[in-house]
Amino acid sequence: MKAKVIEIDQEHIDQAAIREAGGILLRGGLVAFPTETVYGLGGNAMDAAASGRIYAAKGRPSDNPLIVHIAEMDSLREIVSEVDPRALLLAEEYWPGPLTMILPKGDKVPYETTGGLDSVAVRMPSNPIALALIQAGGGFVAAPSANTSGRPSPTTAQHVIEDLGDTVEMVLDGGMVGIGIESTIVDFTEKVPTILRPGYISLEMLKRQIPEIRMDKGLIEEHSDLRPKAPGMKYKHYAPRAPLSIVEGCLEQVVDKINQLAAQAEANGQRVGIIGTDETVSLYTSGLVKSIGTREEEESIALHLYEVLREFDSLDVSCIYSESFDTPRMGQAIMNRLLKAAGHTIIYV
Ligand code: TXA
Ligand code: MG
């Protein structure tokens, strides 16, 4: 393994480690670091060659733009050509935090960072390790999720090492992230601000500041062939190695159906994975059963989603069945990721 891994406590940040990591960024190298959502693969956003290295490390198509992470409000005006006043309202309410905004690109940002687009995605994360690294690395850190393209996003440093340990120079290990799914993305380049990717900050929350905000049509009409506005949304994402099917309906019937499907698959010699919750794991009669969290606390489901998908990859199962998680606030974001992982395979009961 090439990467130097440094454990950092976010309550007592090791400044020497941050200086070393910042130095790597300033020299054009890559550092993986924790944010409150998922781990990011950071490079200097103002350095076209560093962005190129990010795409190469992830095996990501270079038309899929990167998010520029900043640590101070003043940095925003340096990378965008104009700021919609409604974006400032959201920044005031939700930055630092799990919100990304797409605004017209300023001249300083290389097209390599924005995948050739005239807009730029900007986010100020709240994780103190991330903020310290951004400051030490020059103020503008381009960072996609630190997974190999097509694999579930990393929620621990161990996940990053599995995927990128041989390519990235340094991994800052700040323990498990707090949220577990990527930031909400709001596009301000159209007349009506539009959510391109749902996240912890929900449509209802954003409506308090911007009543006219809407969800992207491609997100609403799940099977539509509209060209997605966020280029990243068109690629198959977050996919576990084994085919995943979501079973949807009333919970009791869902459990019965999964038991029936799992028994059939096992009779055919398959190794079956089941994604349940604390409330249901004891009701399954076969298969390798994992709890994703508790239905009493939807945050726990978001937090463990990618981890569970990775665990099933390493268990080498041949198929996975999952319950559906249409929870009140984060349900849209959770199901957006799970549906992608399942390639939209849903069994209704
Ligand atoms: O929580 C997060 O946002 C994490 C952490 C590390 O901050 N980052 C993350 O980045 O999820 P990534 O690259 O995995 O996803 C960024 C998404 C992609 O779907 C990309 O296509 C979209 O944002 N995006 C970036 N810039 C864009 C732009 N200018 N216009 C439209 N979509 C954009
Ligand atoms: Mg990603």
Side-chain angles (χ1 to χ4, degrees), residues 5-320:
V5 181
I6 303 184
E7 274 182 42
I8 301 201
D9 176 354
Q10 66 174 53
E11 311 283 329
H12 304 97
I13 293 184
D14 174 351
Q15 295 300 337
I18 293 292
R19 269 195 304 278
E20 187 179 346
I24 294 174
L25 294 180
L26 292 169
R27 287 194 304 276
L30 305 184
V31 176
F33 63 98
T35 81
E36 67 279 20
T37 57
V38 299
Y39 272 73
L41 171 61
N44 180 356
M46 299 306 198
D47 177 349
S51 291
R53 277 179 211 114
I54 292 176
Y55 290 111
K58 274 182 69 87
R60 171 172 176 151
S62 58
D63 67 346
N64 189 359
L66 307 173
I67 296 173
V68 179
H69 295 68
I70 57 174
E72 291 167 16
M73 239 358 243
D74 288 346
S75 305
L76 179 63
R77 299 203 184 262
E78 290 190 49
I79 53 170
V80 304
S81 61
E82 57 179 278
V83 188
D84 187 313
R86 294 170 296 184
L88 291 178
L89 284 180
L90 294 191
E92 213 167 281
E93 186 70 24
Y94 296 112
W95 275 2
L99 175 73
T100 296
M101 296 195 271
I102 297 176
L103 295 159
K105 181 180 102 58
D107 293 339
K108 273 203 207 164
V109 186
Y111 278 110
E112 282 78 0
T113 300
T114 66
L117 297 178
D118 285 315
S119 58
V120 60
V122 193
R123 161 161 129 81
M124 190 192 294
S126 62
N127 181 302
I129 301 169
L131 290 170
L133 176 70
I134 296 163
Q135 260 152 352
F140 304 94
V141 175
S145 49
N147 51 290
T148 306
S149 199
R151 291 215 70 206
S153 294
T155 52
T156 65
Q158 197 47 48
H159 297 162
V160 178
I161 294 163
E162 273 169 33
D163 285 12
L164 302 171
D166 291 332
T167 40
V168 67
E169 275 180 62
M170 183 180 276
V171 178
L172 296 179
D173 180 354
M176 191 168 192
V177 299
I179 294 177
I181 55 176
E182 306 84 345
S183 61
T184 305
I185 301 181
V186 179
D187 183 9
F188 281 96
T189 63
E190 300 209 5
K191 260 210 189 100
V192 182
T194 303
I195 298 177
L196 302 185
R197 182 173 72 183
Y200 179 88
I201 297 173
S202 65
L203 174 67
E204 287 63 37
M205 288 162 79
L206 294 168
K207 275 188 173 164
R208 283 184 223 142
Q209 283 74 36
I210 309 180
E212 69 273 26
I213 197 166
R214 61 180 174 93
M215 292 297 281
D216 182 54
K217 281 213 188 70
L219 291 174
I220 303 163
E221 297 155 32
E222 230 107 67
H223 300 286
S224 85
D225 49 8
L226 287 171
R227 189 173 181 279
K229 190 76 198 302
M233 307 298 270
K234 78 181 174 225
Y235 300 106
K236 188 167 186 242
H237 251 152
Y238 324 117
R241 294 192 182 105
L244 164 67
S245 310
I246 301 168
V247 183
E248 201 168 292
C250 114
L251 193 53
E252 218 171 291
Q253 286 171 334
V254 165
V255 172
D256 285 349
K257 183 70 180 178
I258 292 180
N259 273 330
Q260 188 194 327
L261 289 165
Q264 263 167 19
E266 284 192 341
N268 292 332
Q270 295 199 320
R271 214 169 136 83
V272 182
I274 296 175
I275 303 177
T277 49
D278 291 358
E279 290 76 18
T280 57
V281 279
S282 65
L283 306 174
Y284 290 107
T285 49
S286 57
L288 290 162
V289 186
K290 292 206 174 287
S291 173
I292 193 173
T294 165
R295 287 182 182 273
E296 297 288 305
E297 210 186 301
E298 57 180 327
E299 287 80 4
S300 69
I301 295 176
L303 184 58
H304 296 113
L305 174 63
Y306 289 137
E307 183 182 47
V308 167
L309 293 178
R310 277 181 184 259
E311 278 172 4
F312 278 127
D313 273 350
S314 61
L315 286 170
D316 215 15
V317 292
S318 39
C319 60
I320 308 169

